[in-house]
Amino acid sequence: MKGQQLGKLSLRLDAIYCLVLGTIVAVASAPLATTVDLPPMVILAAGIAVVVWAGLVEWMRASLDLRLALRVVMVANIAATLAVGLVSFIAAAFLAVLVILAVAVDIALFAGSQALALDRLRTAAT
């Protein structure tokens, strides 16, 4: 797959993933709060923030230069991977830790696909 196609697909899938995940987190904030031992409002706010981020990712994909959009989202995904990984240390239950770490891996994979797309775009430009 060429860099342009891979980059747009990566951003589109990232936005869809964030929309679904953020919605699930927001809707399930009360039960999740007891599992990860954080206040429900913190979980709800995180879910809403992820839904808003999904909209921003889609807007960037459609409106910004693809390289810029990929860089911004990739950096945000790397930061989110670290943040989600840190939350896993707070989580009270072993299963919750596994689920949270799985989300961190998913986010890191999106960052990797965006880096790959940037590399292919750079190679195609030379």
Side-chain angles (χ1 to χ4, degrees), residues 65-90:
D65 173 70
L66 183 58
R67 286 178 176 89
L68 176 60
L70 286 166
R71 284 186 186 105
V72 169
V73 174
M74 182 179 68
V75 167
N77 279 336
I78 291 167
T81 299
L82 296 172
V84 170
L86 287 174
V87 168
S88 73
F89 290 108
I90 297 170

Side-chain angles (χ1 to χ4, degrees), residues 40-59:
M41 291 306 290
V42 171
I43 305 294
L44 177 63
I48 292 169
V50 172
V51 170
V52 170
W53 174 249
L56 286 171
V57 170
E58 183 58 23
W59 175 82

